[in-house]
Amino acid sequence: ATNGANQADGEIVTVFHDPENFNVKHPLQHKWTLWFTKPGSGKGDNWNELLKEVISFDSVEDFWGIYNNITPTSQLALKSDYHLFKTNVRPEWEDPQNKHGGRWSYSFKERKSIDIDSIWLQVLLAAIGETLEDEGDNEVMGVVVNVRRAFFRIGLWTRTVGKSGPGGQRTNEEGKAVLMKIGARFKEVLGVPDEEQVDFMGHTDSAHSGSTRAKAKITI
Amino acid sequence: LKLETAKNVEPAQPTPGMQALKSARFLNVQMESVTYPGDILSPNPAKNQGKGNACLYDRKFLLQFQEVFKEKPSIDWDQKVKETLGDGGDSAHSGRPSAGAR
C-alpha cells in the first residue's frame, strides 16, 4: 500500500542507511526550543537577560545534532538551567500559556551518586517522543533541569493545575486524573524509586510563597 | 595586506551530514514504511498508525540515533554555544575535572 509513496519520492535513505547522504528525517510532533539560564553574578541581575534562547528544532536528527554538541548538564556551572519548551512558550510563569499551570518536580540531592546526564536525556527523549502524555491531553509545556549546589532538580511544566478553568473541557476530577497519569510517567522516566515523592505545585502558589519550596499540592 | 586577510578568512564549509540534514524531507511516519538496516528498531508502528497525525517515538527508538548523528547544527555552532552558555570558566562544579569531548 505504501509502494506508491515510496516510488514517487525515490528511495528512502535514513540516517541509519547513510549518515552523510540521508534524504529523510524523522519529524517530531511538536517544534521545541532549548533555553539556557546563565548563572547570575549575584546582584542586580535581570533574569530576562540571563534567560537565553539557544535553538529550535523539529526532527529527531536535529535533536541529536544539538544534544551531541552542547555542554552536558553535569558540566554546567552552579545556578544554570536548561529548559526545553514547546516553541512559542517562554519557560516562565508569566507566559500567558503557563499562567494557569504548574509543575511536577523532583530534586536529586545525592548529586555525586547520580548520573544527571543520563536522567536528563531520558526526560528530553520522553518529551520530544511525546510519551509523557496521551494525544489530546495537551498538558506538557516543557521540561527543566536546575543545577544547584545542593541538588539537581528536574521539572515538568503543565498547562493546567488539573482544575477546569475558563473554557476547560475536563471536570476537576478528569483534570486531576490526567495530571496524575502524567506525573506517574514522569516519575518512571526519572527512575525515582516508588517510596520517594514527586511533587506537583501550581505556579501561582510558588509565586505567592516567594519560594519554589512551597508546600506541594499533589504528590505521587 | 588586503590579499593576505582574504586568504585567511576562507569560510568553513558545511559537512555532508549538515547538508543532508538541511535538505532531507520529513518522513511520513504514518504512511511510509521504512526498512531500517541491521538490527535498528523501527518506531513502534502500532503506536503511530491510527493515531491521527501523532508522531510518537519511544526512548529506545530515539536512543539509536545517539551514536549515528553527531553533526553540529551549523558551522558556527561552537561559537554560538560559547556566546550563549558562556565558557564555563567561572564555574564551580564541585571540583570535578572537565570531562573533555564526549
Side-chain angles (χ1 to χ4, degrees), chain A residues 2 16-17 20 23-27 29 54 61-62 64-65 68-69 75 77 82 122 125 129 135 188, chain B residues 21 25 27 31 33 35-36 51 53-55 57 59 62 65-66 69-71 77 80 85 91 93 99:
Chain A
T2 53
F16 297 111
H17 296 94
E20 296 199 334
N23 61 16
V24 296
K25 52 185 178 178
H26 294 75
Q29 181 66 20
V54 183
E61 289 80 354
D62 282 276
W64 282 110
N68 280 327
N69 291 288
Q75 289 175 35
Y82 275 133
Q122 295 294 326
L125 297 180
E135 200 184 359
E188 189 256 312
Chain B
L21 185 64
R25 67 169 174 89
L27 183 68
M31 301 298 289
S33 67
T35 311
Y36 290 92
K51 276 252 185 180
N53 293 317
C55 292
Y57 305 108
R59 287 176 278 147
L62 295 173
F65 293 76
Q66 183 166 21
F69 193 76
K70 299 188 165 190
E71 295 289 342
W77 177 249
K80 190 181 172 182
L85 273 66
S91 70
H93 25 81

Side-chain angles (χ1 to χ4, degrees), chain A residues 9-210:
Chain A
D9 296 336
E11 199 188 345
I12 292 182
V13 182
T14 70
V15 71
F16 297 111
H17 296 94
D18 186 344
E20 296 199 334
N21 292 294
F22 55 99
N23 61 16
V24 296
K25 52 185 178 178
H26 294 75
L28 298 175
Q29 181 66 20
H30 289 99
K31 189 168 186 180
W32 295 84
T33 301
L34 180 69
W35 301 72
F36 178 72
T37 316
K38 247 181 162 162
S41 61
K43 42 194 168 188
D45 286 318
N46 180 346
W47 197 61
N48 271 323
E49 284 164 22
L50 300 176
L51 181 65
K52 307 266 188 190
E53 197 174 324
V54 183
I55 194 169
S56 299
F57 59 91
D58 55 8
S59 80
V60 177
E61 289 80 354
D62 282 276
F63 166 79
W64 282 110
I66 296 161
Y67 181 84
N68 280 327
N69 291 288
I70 202 161
T71 315
T73 305
S74 61
Q75 289 175 35
L76 292 177
L78 296 177
K79 297 189 199 165
S80 305
D81 309 314
Y82 275 133
H83 317 251
L84 184 73
F85 272 65
K86 286 179 179 162
T87 297
N88 299 325
V89 182
R90 284 181 69 87
E92 305 178 295
W93 301 337
E94 296 85 352
D95 186 289
Q97 297 165 90
N98 286 323
K99 226 164 57 181
H100 305 290
R103 57 157 199 191
W104 285 105
S105 75
Y106 182 79
S107 297
F108 293 90
K109 297 193 174 94
E110 301 293 324
R111 277 187 38 132
K112 282 186 182 138
S113 62
I114 62 148
D115 183 353
I116 189 63
D117 295 330
S118 149
I119 297 169
W120 174 237
L121 176 57
Q122 295 294 326
V123 171
L124 292 174
L125 297 180
I128 66 171
E130 302 288 335
T131 53
L132 289 167
E133 63 182 346
D134 291 324
E135 200 184 359
D137 286 349
N138 189 23
E139 279 288 351
V140 174
M141 308 304 282
V143 290
V144 191
V145 61
N146 309 122
V147 178
R148 299 295 181 269
R149 186 169 297 281
F151 56 83
F152 290 113
R153 181 171 52 218
I154 297 187
L156 163 62
W157 286 38
T158 58
R159 189 176 54 87
T160 76
V161 293
K163 284 186 197 142
S164 71
Q169 286 134 357
R170 296 178 194 123
T171 64
N172 287 356
E173 261 175 34
E174 287 165 348
K176 190 177 172 185
V178 169
L179 279 195
M180 294 299 281
K181 175 189 68 186
I182 292 169
R185 291 189 192 172
F186 180 52
K187 185 174 184 176
E188 189 256 312
V189 172
L190 291 172
V192 169
D194 285 347
E195 63 272 19
E196 289 281 311
Q197 279 188 355
V198 175
D199 299 330
F200 182 84
M201 198 165 41
H203 295 318
T204 47
D205 298 333
S206 309
H208 290 155
S209 76

Side-chain angles (χ1 to χ4, degrees), chain B residues 23-97:
Chain B
S23 61
R25 67 169 174 89
F26 280 135
L27 183 68
N28 185 330
V29 183
Q30 287 86 24
M31 301 298 289
E32 297 176 282
S33 67
V34 178
T35 311
Y36 290 92
D39 48 8
I40 297 293
L41 303 168
S42 60
N44 187 343
K47 260 189 186 169
N48 279 302
Q49 279 163 16
K51 276 252 185 180
N53 293 317
C55 292
L56 309 176
Y57 305 108
D58 60 30
R59 287 176 278 147
K60 256 191 202 155
F61 174 74
L62 295 173
L63 275 169
Q64 299 174 113
F65 293 76
Q66 183 166 21
E67 297 302 319
V68 174
F69 193 76
K70 299 188 165 190
E71 295 289 342
K72 290 170 187 168
S74 57
I75 45 174
D76 60 351
W77 177 249
D78 288 339
Q79 184 61 28
K80 190 181 172 182
V81 167
K82 207 172 170 182
E83 282 166 11
T84 314
L85 273 66
D87 54 15
D90 57 348
S91 70
H93 25 81
S94 57
R96 187 192 297 244

